[in-house]
């Protein structure tokens, strides 16, 4: 199939999205060009505006347009509790629950020795300085339950404990609404160990 350089460039750009292969990218490109040119323009403008205006919050590293994000500026938040997450998407997920009213620190990654990413690469020093501000009383480690997330949580926990700071970890367990016979054995084992 003959395609133009512009179409090829669009397909290659869409392939940069996580989980999008060549076929999916081509399908999206053809849809936007054939059925939704207005949507394509809105998407390109919104993307250009976000790239041009979004920065990292000076206090927590999440994405925002100001120097300090709305969460960090909110005087109603509990400044004694600091929740550490890997990405802004993880922070957003926690915020949507409405269950946490403290502040955040976004690592913008996780420790991954195989990929050459160490503690310095995820801003461990800045996290330690933030957690040692004299206000924070508890640091909640909410990294993912992957090998890299567990390693990251362990390294951070040890560094914080060396400074005399209290650390806790998100509990693991059986998902709400699930049936035990369909839950993987590792999840059941962690739920038994972390029971309360």
């Amino acid at each position: 199939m003959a395609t133009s350089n512009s179409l090829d460039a669009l397909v290659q750009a869409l392939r940069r999205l996580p989980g999008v292969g060549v076929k999916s990218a081509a399908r999206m490109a053809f849809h936007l060009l054939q059925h939704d040119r207005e949507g394509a323009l809105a998407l390109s403008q919104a993307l250009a505006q976000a790239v041009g205006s979004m920065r990292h919050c000076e206090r927590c590293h999440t994405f925002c347009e100001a120097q300090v994000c709305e969460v960090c500026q909110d005087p109603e938040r509990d400044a004694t509790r600091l929740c550490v997450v890997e990405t802004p998407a993880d922070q957003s997920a926690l915020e949507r629950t409405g269950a946490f009213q403290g502040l955040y620190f976004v690592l913008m990654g996780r420790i991954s020795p195989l990929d050459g990413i160490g503690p310095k690469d995820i801003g461990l020093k800045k996290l330690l300085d933030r957690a040692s501000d004299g206000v924070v009383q508890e640091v909640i480690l909410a990294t993912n339950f992957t090998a890299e997330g567990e390693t990251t949580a362990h390294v951070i926990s040890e560094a914080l404990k060396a400074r005399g700071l209290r650390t806790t970890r998100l509990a693991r367990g059986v998902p709400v609404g699930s049936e035990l016979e369909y839950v993987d054995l590792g999840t059941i084992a962690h739920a038994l160990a972390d029971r309360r």
Side-chain angles (χ1 to χ4, degrees), residues 21 25 96 131 145 153 161 163 188:
R96 286 192 308 269
F145 291 105
K161 285 178 185 174
R163 292 187 174 208
I188 293 173

Side-chain angles (χ1 to χ4, degrees), residues 14-15 35 51 66 70 73 75 80-81 108 119 125 135 144 151 154 159 163-165 169 181 187 194 196:
L14 290 168
R15 283 191 61 203
H35 300 291
V51 169
E70 290 179 10
Q73 290 182 30
T80 66
R81 294 177 21 210
M108 299 306 287
K125 173 145 180 24
V135 176
N144 293 309
T151 300
H154 176 74
R163 292 187 174 208
L165 292 164
R169 182 85 166 107
E181 69 178 296
T187 299
D194 294 339
R196 50 182 165 120

Side-chain angles (χ1 to χ4, degrees), residues 33-68:
L33 294 173
Q34 184 176 355
H35 300 291
D36 195 7
R37 284 186 175 249
E38 186 177 309
L41 288 172
L43 177 64
S44 69
Q45 290 168 354
L47 186 57
Q49 182 177 352
V51 169
S53 65
M54 298 303 285
R55 63 173 71 187
H56 293 286
C57 172
E58 290 180 356
R59 296 202 67 219
C60 74
H61 280 165
T62 198
F63 291 126
C64 63
E65 292 187 51
Q67 287 183 319
V68 178

Side-chain angles (χ1 to χ4, degrees), residues 176-189:
V176 174
S178 62
E179 297 180 29
L180 283 179
E181 69 178 296
Y182 300 113
V183 176
D184 69 276
L185 299 178
T187 299
I188 293 173

